[in-house]
Amino acid sequence: MFANWPLLSLIIWLPIVAAVPTLLAGDKRPDSARWIALAATVLTFLLSLAILPNFDASSAAMQLQEKHLWISVLNVHYHLGVDGISVALVLLTTFTSVLVIVGAWGSIDEKVSQYMAAMLVLEGLMIGVFCAMDALVFYVFFEGMLIPMFILIGVWGGARRVYATLKFFIYTFFGSIFMLVGLIYLYFKAGSFDLATLAQVGLNAKEQMWLFFAFLIAFAVKVPMWPVHTWLPDAHVEAPTGGSVVLAAIMLKIGGYGFIRFSLPITPDASFEYAWVVIAMSLVAVVYVGYVALVQEDMKKLIAYSSIAHMGFVTLGIFISLALVRSQNNELAARLGMQGAMVQMISHGFISGAMFSCVGVLYDRLHTRMIRDYGGVVNVMPKFATMFVLFAMANCGLPGTSGFVGEFWVILAAFQTNPWIAALAAFTLIIGAAYTLWLVKRVIFGEVGNDKVAKLEDMNGRETFVLASFAAAVLLFGLWPKPLSDLMDAPIAHLVQQILVSKGA
Amino acid sequence: MTTISLTDLYTLIPESFLTLAICFILLFDQFLKPAQRNVTHYLSIATLAVTAWLVTRHYGDATAFGGMFVHDGIADALKLFVLLTTALVFVYARSYLADRGLYVGEYYVLCLFAVLGMMFLVSAGSLVIVYLGLELLALSSYALVALNRDSPLSSEGAMKYFVLGALASGMLLYGMSMVYGATGTLDLNKIHAASVAATQPTLLLFGVVFIVVGIAFKFGAAPFHMWLPDVYQGAPTAVTVFIGSAPKLAAFGMAYRLLESGLGGAGPHWQQMLAALAVASLAIGNIAAIMQSNLKRMLAYSTISHVGFLFLGLVNGAPSGYAAAMFYAISYALMAAVAFGMILLLSRAGFEAEEIEDFKGLNQRAPWYAFLMSLTMFSLAGVPPLFGFFGKLLVLKAAVDSGHVWLAIVGAVFAIVGIYYYLRVVKVMYFDDADDATPLAAPSDAPMRWVISVNALALLVLGLTWGPLYAWCARSFGIS
């Protein structure tokens, strides 16, 4: 079934189109807006699951392709397709979106229809990013995404929301516009925006260098990597819970995805030459930002910095693998590192989404994110405390949770390049455990902090559902990562082959 | 000398019709009571529609009057969009004019005369026609800016416009005289041949400098932009919406005729000048716009920056660059029409919604118009998937194609600066609370409500389906 359906177009456009009736429901009928949004996201999730039976995971080829001429004069095609990596990220997106809509059910009560509509548009655009096979189509989705996110943070955010959302928008736009110039240059060389064609176009060292840095700015801002990470803590702190979840769980992944779709295949030689830059930046992120997280007093800010540190593993894994395959021709280790980076992306999606949802649960009750305003939550909210501790453990990278798998693989791969890099990276496990467990200690354990905490009520069914869903995913991929790695193995092997070939011209 | 034949007149059917119709409206309006002004309004729109229809019929030959008048795809496309934009302007302007006692026949007649000037300008095959078309446009515009003669701001704007405009015309004319001296002809085709063949082009290049200055004045490119903010702010908004939209198309047409059809042989020289003007316009326009609190003034500075982008296309100096610049001009005209139209829509008798602060909390008061306005702002800022992005994409591509990668990077950097002030409008509408949260009464002017909605949504729709429009532009310049 579904074999002949344009599945990818459906999952992109269904949420976007559903935003129209959601908006029309208006603020006077918030419940209909919520139900329409929920129905749309659930349907999108089910349709995205229908990709799996129609998908051959053993092949690295782009599958379920749809190709229609968009702009004939420029030879631009509305070209969609997915490989294992995309499928994993699409599923992460559709899964998280359902939970975000459910999570917003009680916590958003102003301008509900606009909130739901913005979320739906955002979901469609994010899926589009992961499915696009044409660089211009990719760029349109990549940038278009900023508009709903800008509105989400700006309208439903906290006290400094305007500053945060402007910073978010301008930072991201700043990054991507140079990529646009780079893509135009590539078009000039290749006569097409088709990603497969761009990957084959011959480029000399200088051209590759410029293009590499253009891509690096775009994706480093998105990931975000140190030192262009400063927008993220602000955006996370001010965003509504749903916005934070989407931002951490999905949007950051687009940066990592960009590296493997653009930087590595299009500029392999420059990527190798400047891999040390990215590796150094990643290590700084992992170590220094980890320390920064340690001193935070705001829960959301702490998790935001922890996100930056964890995303450092992703970029580290990607570029370590590149170095491995290029300098030592160690394909097996490279595949392991790349796998680790990808698994880390998915796993961090679940964990960070869950952590932000947890903060959301607390924030909805006491309207504060400050750590000092809590304490001893376990005494009044045992169910919630269980969940929180589970996700905290996953965030530390405890074996048995998905957080362990990716980091472990990346460290294994790093060890084969340079034990010192591995040692530094492994060091983060300690810092990670330090800031996360300290957070748990101060918020969850101990005596009941104050009267307000004493009156807290445990999670309701809706909140339990959201957190339990995340928990199931975290445990599933922690105990049994094989389906995930099988899904992504073929495209990664292909990518590793691809970056072996120098394209100097 | 060639003699005028019947086919020459036949080629001019749209322009002839428009001329006669204007004369008729001018006379007819004298016999109408103020209460019957709607007749003039609808008659003017009908005139534009019929003229547009006549343009699409492609009467006559490729040239007329011995090459003085050129009738090609470029002219046709530009004319159609000038007519369309002007019709939009008329629809948006009516209730604003009526509220302020400016609902007079002169507004329509002057606008239509300006349209006639633009139609000649984009069809010019000779320096004389360029100048005549330009002056018809310019003189009508000066008078329009002064339409509200009791307003000192308006008179000041008109005075500035007139003095600087006259200076620009003088520059242009001076340059033309040098070109004539160097080539011995006023015919653009012959000038082209002479400019290609010129071995000692000193005099010709002097002429080129003055002509480029004249063009930059008319576009409002920095550093010849001084008049633009004052005129935009001073003129009644119903006039600003007109001079802010359609004449940009005509200015593109003029630049193309003079620089490519005429002085194509001096391309490498004027391309450098335009590159410098583009950088200056991008910098001054975008940076100065940040500081503005008056929306009309901000949009004026944003116009300057958009002119800078448009020049990136012209700098390319090849058909694909001109097609990109034309696409940009069309997209800009449509965006400017909505942006100024929205100011008209929100202002009412005795209240000008000119300040950015006036848009505070618009999302609470009129969510639909806030949505449309934010579409327009994102489009002006060049965020995909809106129309404005693809204009920027094409001109940046044109700059890269011609080897001016650095110029494309400058454009990109200033696009980032530009983001800020457009976003500020969205911020004011969505994130700030209105002082007075009562829902805004829907504007009583139903046609305006519909047309502006369609106009704004077109920015989204055209963003997704811009292929045919670009193909049309490309075809006009002989790219298939």
Side-chain angles (χ1 to χ4, degrees):
Chain A
M1 201 190 158
F2 298 117
N4 297 318
W5 290 32
L7 262 185
L8 301 182
S9 283
L10 270 177
I11 58 173
I12 293 172
W13 294 105
L14 180 90
I16 296 178
V17 171
V20 177
T22 312
L23 262 187
L24 291 181
D27 291 339
K28 298 211 177 63
R29 283 169 293 170
D31 273 333
S32 15
R34 289 181 178 121
W35 281 109
I36 296 170
L38 182 66
T41 46
V42 169
L43 194 57
T44 312
F45 180 54
L46 294 177
L47 281 171
S48 69
L49 284 179
I51 294 176
L52 289 174
N54 296 300
F55 183 82
D56 175 13
S58 62
S59 153
M62 285 292 184
Q63 298 171 45
L64 297 165
Q65 287 200 24
E66 293 166 37
K67 191 171 184 178
H68 307 283
L69 193 63
W70 185 23
I71 309 299
S72 59
V73 190
L74 293 184
N75 193 19
V76 180
H77 291 84
Y78 171 75
H79 192 177
L80 305 176
V82 282
D83 61 7
I85 300 172
S86 312
V87 171
L89 288 163
V90 166
L91 287 175
L92 172 70
T93 311
T94 53
F95 173 78
T96 313
S97 296
V98 176
L99 298 184
V100 164
I101 297 290
V102 175
W105 210 269
S107 62
I108 297 289
D109 39 20
E110 246 183 89
K111 300 181 191 144
V112 177
S113 62
Q114 293 186 358
Y115 181 89
M116 295 296 174
M119 274 296 175
L120 289 174
V121 172
L122 188 59
E123 181 190 4
L125 295 175
M126 288 186 302
I127 298 172
V129 167
F130 294 129
C131 297
M133 286 185 64
D134 186 284
L136 191 64
V137 177
F138 175 90
Y139 190 83
V140 168
F141 284 125
F142 186 77
E143 286 283 274
M145 222 163 53
L146 298 181
I147 300 177
M149 199 64 194
F150 175 74
I151 302 280
L152 276 173
I153 301 178
V155 176
W156 294 274
R160 290 170 69 236
R161 60 186 194 276
V162 173
Y163 169 77
T165 197
L166 276 175
K167 192 169 175 183
F168 156 75
F169 197 107
I170 293 174
Y171 250 82
T172 323
F173 192 82
F174 164 81
S176 51
I177 194 106
F178 293 106
M179 176 170 89
L180 179 66
V181 178
L183 291 177
I184 293 172
Y185 186 82
L186 277 168
Y187 174 83
F188 174 63
K189 299 282 285 190
S192 155
F193 282 113
D194 188 58
L195 277 178
T197 316
L198 295 188
Q200 278 155 15
V201 88
L203 296 164
N204 64 33
K206 204 174 147 203
E207 287 170 323
Q208 285 202 32
M209 181 198 72
W210 284 106
L211 286 169
F212 172 75
F213 281 105
F215 292 144
L216 179 64
I217 298 177
F219 300 128
V221 169
K222 203 87 185 178
V223 166
M225 298 176 74
W226 178 88
V228 284
H229 64 282
T230 60
W231 63 269
L232 186 78
D234 285 313
H236 266 318
V237 168
E238 299 306 329
T241 305
S244 292
V245 173
V246 169
L247 204 56
I250 311 163
M251 270 181 136
L252 306 190
K253 309 303 170 290
I254 289 168
Y257 180 78
F259 278 120
I260 57 166
R261 274 282 182 270
F262 285 81
S263 303
L264 296 196
I266 296 175
T267 62
D269 303 309
S271 300
F272 174 56
E273 198 178 339
Y274 298 99
W276 63 272
V277 178
V278 184
I279 291 173
M281 281 160 69
S282 310
L283 286 175
V284 174
V286 165
V287 179
Y288 163 75
V289 176
Y291 272 114
V292 175
L294 203 52
V295 298
Q296 298 305 319
E297 296 179 338
D298 181 318
M299 287 192 279
K300 266 188 159 181
K301 224 168 189 165
L302 190 146
I303 303 168
Y305 279 110
S306 126
S307 283
I308 302 170
H310 283 101
M311 288 306 287
F313 265 100
V314 175
T315 45
L316 184 68
I318 293 172
F319 282 84
I320 281 281
S321 309
L322 177 70
L324 276 171
V325 74
R326 271 294 176 96
S327 58
Q328 304 176 8
N329 206 1
N330 192 342
E331 260 184 63
L332 224 57
R335 274 167 62 176
L336 185 68
M338 206 74 92
Q339 282 276 11
M342 293 302 119
V343 172
Q344 171 77 352
M345 292 229 286
I346 305 292
S347 132
H348 178 255
F350 293 127
I351 298 171
S352 63
M355 293 288 278
F356 279 116
S357 300
C358 284
V359 177
V361 168
L362 288 178
Y363 184 80
D364 286 344
R365 287 169 173 67
L366 291 192
H367 296 283
T368 167
R369 298 178 303 261
M370 291 299 151
I371 296 174
R372 62 168 176 275
D373 292 335
Y374 294 91
V377 172
V378 68
N379 300 312
V380 281
M381 300 175 74
K383 273 198 290 181
F384 171 77
T386 315
M387 288 291 180
F388 194 98
V389 172
L390 169 69
F391 296 127
M393 292 302 162
N395 203 38
C396 309
L398 192 78
T401 63
S402 63
F404 172 71
V405 184
E407 293 180 10
F408 184 61
W409 289 355
V410 170
I411 294 173
L412 275 185
F415 199 81
Q416 311 214 19
T417 328
N418 184 338
W420 287 108
I421 295 181
L424 267 179
F427 188 59
T428 184
L429 292 177
I430 304 169
I431 311 174
Y435 60 70
T436 319
L437 294 180
W438 198 28
L439 171 76
V440 171
K441 178 201 164 255
R442 286 180 291 172
V443 173
I444 302 292
F445 295 132
E447 298 292 308
V448 172
N450 54 45
D451 296 349
K452 283 188 193 146
V453 173
K455 289 192 195 106
L456 283 178
E457 282 175 24
D458 210 342
M459 293 190 293
N460 59 26
R462 181 177 53 76
E463 289 160 341
T464 315
F465 170 75
V466 172
L467 292 184
S469 307
F470 276 125
V474 167
L475 289 175
L476 174 68
F477 293 118
L479 296 170
W480 193 40
K482 194 168 178 303
L484 196 56
S485 59
D486 282 354
L487 188 61
M488 301 196 286
D489 191 47
I492 286 176
H494 174 72
L495 180 68
V496 168
Q497 287 294 325
Q498 204 174 8
I499 54 184
L500 256 177
V501 185
S502 166
K503 62 194 293 195
Chain B
M1 287 304 289
T2 46
T3 49
I4 296 171
S5 69
L6 208 58
T7 47
D8 286 341
L9 293 172
Y10 196 56
T11 312
L12 245 69
I13 281 185
E15 284 78 8
S16 314
F17 168 78
L18 183 58
T19 315
L20 292 175
I22 299 171
C23 296
F24 174 74
I25 292 172
L26 178 62
L27 286 176
F28 184 71
D29 183 67
Q30 301 305 311
F31 297 98
L32 291 174
K33 296 190 189 72
Q36 298 167 316
R37 199 68 68 208
N38 278 347
V39 178
T40 315
H41 176 77
Y42 287 112
L43 208 56
S44 305
I45 293 176
T47 304
L48 293 171
V50 174
T51 315
W53 179 72
L54 290 172
V55 170
T56 58
R57 304 291 298 167
H58 306 294
Y59 291 113
D61 299 337
T63 59
F65 299 102
M68 297 212 358
F69 186 93
V70 184
H71 181 224
D72 56 8
I74 303 161
D76 280 354
L78 287 172
K79 280 176 199 172
L80 284 175
F81 278 100
V82 164
L83 293 165
L84 171 70
T85 321
T86 312
L88 293 175
V89 167
F90 284 171
V91 174
Y92 299 160
R94 187 177 64 158
S95 49
Y96 179 92
L97 293 170
D99 285 344
R100 278 160 190 75
L102 298 171
Y103 196 25
V104 289
E106 287 88 330
Y107 175 78
Y108 292 95
V109 171
L110 285 169
C111 284
L112 289 173
F113 267 122
V115 169
L116 184 64
M118 292 190 253
M119 290 178 72
F120 274 106
L121 190 53
V122 300
S123 271
S126 140
L127 294 179
V128 175
I129 300 292
V130 170
Y131 192 72
L132 284 179
L134 182 65
E135 285 306 283
L136 186 53
L137 164 63
L139 289 170
S140 313
S141 310
Y142 305 147
L144 274 170
V145 173
L147 193 68
N148 188 5
R149 60 183 174 203
D150 297 331
S151 153
L153 216 58
S154 196
S155 311
E156 184 199 329
M159 200 63 198
K160 264 190 190 149
Y161 195 13
F162 176 69
V163 172
L164 290 173
L167 190 68
S169 298
M171 296 266 192
L172 192 67
L173 209 52
Y174 191 43
M176 285 176 176
S177 72
M178 287 194 202
V179 170
Y180 179 71
T183 60
T185 173
L186 291 172
D187 185 292
L188 288 172
N189 272 330
K190 290 182 189 144
I191 293 176
H192 190 271
S195 74
V196 171
T199 49
Q200 284 280 324
T202 316
L203 183 61
L204 186 73
L205 290 183
F206 258 99
V208 171
V209 172
F210 283 100
I211 285 181
V212 168
V213 169
I215 291 172
F217 252 115
K218 292 295 167 189
F219 261 115
F224 306 105
H225 65 283
M226 310 301 181
W227 57 273
L228 201 127
D230 292 325
V231 171
Y232 273 41
Q233 191 184 3
T237 313
V239 174
T240 314
V241 61
F242 178 69
I243 54 178
S245 52
K248 297 291 171 244
L249 293 160
F252 165 74
M254 173 174 87
Y256 175 75
R257 294 292 178 210
L258 282 173
L259 296 177
E260 171 60 30
S261 311
L263 297 161
H269 299 280
W270 58 253
Q271 280 158 21
Q272 277 177 20
M273 299 177 212
L274 288 189
L277 290 169
V279 173
S281 306
L282 286 167
I284 291 177
N286 279 312
I287 292 171
I290 291 177
M291 306 175 239
Q292 307 307 323
S293 59
N294 181 297
L295 185 58
K296 274 162 83 180
R297 214 171 165 82
M298 184 203 98
L299 288 172
Y301 281 107
S302 106
T303 304
I304 299 171
S305 80
H306 283 284
V307 168
F309 277 112
L310 197 151
F311 277 9
L312 295 188
L314 293 177
V315 166
N316 174 288
S320 66
Y322 298 127
M326 181 151 122
F327 185 89
Y328 201 89
I330 292 169
S331 74
Y332 180 71
L334 291 178
M335 292 188 287
V338 199
F340 288 112
M342 206 55 84
I343 302 178
L344 292 171
L345 184 102
L346 294 180
S347 52
R348 46 186 191 276
F351 177 75
E352 307 273 347
E354 276 187 12
E355 298 295 321
I356 295 179
E357 288 292 297
D358 295 336
F359 284 73
K360 236 163 102 173
L362 189 65
N363 183 36
Q364 289 169 310
R365 310 180 63 201
W368 176 242
Y369 297 109
F371 172 68
L372 296 182
M373 186 67 172
S374 57
L375 276 187
T376 314
M377 287 298 132
F378 281 119
S379 181
L380 282 166
V383 180
L386 293 153
F387 196 25
F389 165 71
F390 296 99
K392 285 212 171 60
L393 172 75
L394 288 170
V395 293
L396 290 177
K397 176 180 162 294
V400 171
D401 281 352
S402 59
H404 295 88
V405 180
W406 66 274
L407 208 52
I409 293 175
V410 172
V413 169
F414 283 109
I416 304 167
V417 178
I419 276 284
Y420 174 74
Y421 56 87
Y422 296 119
L423 286 185
R424 200 168 55 147
V425 178
V426 179
K427 174 228 153 199
V428 165
M429 291 190 302
Y430 276 85
F431 307 162
D432 291 356
D433 284 328
D435 299 331
D436 163 22
T438 48
L440 208 63
S444 54
D445 195 344
M448 172 171 193
R449 280 201 319 253
W450 283 99
V451 172
I452 204 163
S453 302
V454 170
N455 192 174
L457 288 178
L459 301 181
L460 183 60
V461 174
L462 281 171
L464 299 174
T465 59
W466 54 284
L469 181 61
Y470 179 65
W472 184 13
C473 294
R475 214 165 41 239
S476 309
F477 290 93
I479 315 165
S480 57

